[in-house]
Amino acid sequence: MSEEIRPIKRQERPQANKTRRRRRAVFALLTVIFAVTMLVQLTRLYQKQRSYKEKAAVYQKELQQQEERAKELENQVNYTMTDAYAEHEAQSKLGMVHPNEIIFREKK
């Protein structure tokens, strides 16, 4: 009666090892798939970020140009409100002259 009684689990162990190996393989495969997916997504996000930075640089340059244009227009508006502008327009478009001014015209 001193014989040892072996548990039934010993007979099932090779099958359990196969199951563990399969689980590990599936886990490793899922980990690799997840890592590749994340790498692809990060690459796409990096490309989007780079394109957004390029667009921002273009828009910044355009904004500076528009601000310069706005300053030019503001200066022009201020000039049109001066007496010098009114005098210049009267002379060039209407042909008006000052009372003591002499005009030379070319004969045709």
Side-chain angles (χ1 to χ4, degrees):
M1 294 216 180
S2 64
E3 288 184 31
E4 291 183 32
I5 301 175
R6 293 186 176 177
I8 299 175
K9 286 186 179 180
R10 288 223 176 235
Q11 295 171 354
E12 295 175 4
R13 275 198 175 172
Q15 206 172 27
N17 285 339
K18 286 181 182 179
T19 304
R20 284 186 194 131
R21 285 184 200 152
R22 285 182 188 156
R23 285 182 185 167
R24 287 182 185 166
V26 168
F27 180 74
L29 181 64
L30 290 175
T31 304
V32 168
I33 290 172
F34 177 74
V36 168
T37 304
M38 293 305 294
L39 182 63
V40 168
Q41 291 299 326
L42 285 173
T43 304
R44 287 182 184 168
L45 287 174
Y46 177 74
Q47 290 173 345
K48 279 185 181 180
Q49 181 185 20
R50 189 171 50 191
S51 71
Y52 290 152
K53 283 183 179 180
E54 290 171 358
K55 286 180 182 179
V58 168
Y59 293 147
Q60 186 66 31
K61 185 176 180 180
E62 185 178 334
L63 177 64
Q64 289 174 350
Q65 291 173 347
Q66 293 299 326
E67 286 174 349
E68 290 174 7
R69 176 80 174 127
K71 286 179 184 177
E72 291 173 4
L73 290 173
E74 186 176 342
N75 290 339
Q76 186 177 2
V77 166
N78 291 336
Y79 175 67
T80 57
M81 302 231 177
T82 63
D83 291 338
Y85 173 76
E87 185 177 322
H88 177 266
E89 290 298 310
Q91 286 178 347
S92 65
K93 292 186 179 176
L94 301 176
M96 299 178 85
V97 294
H98 290 285
N100 297 332
E101 206 170 27
I102 300 173
I103 298 178
F104 294 100
R105 293 191 182 174
E106 184 178 330
K107 289 184 180 179
K108 294 184 182 179

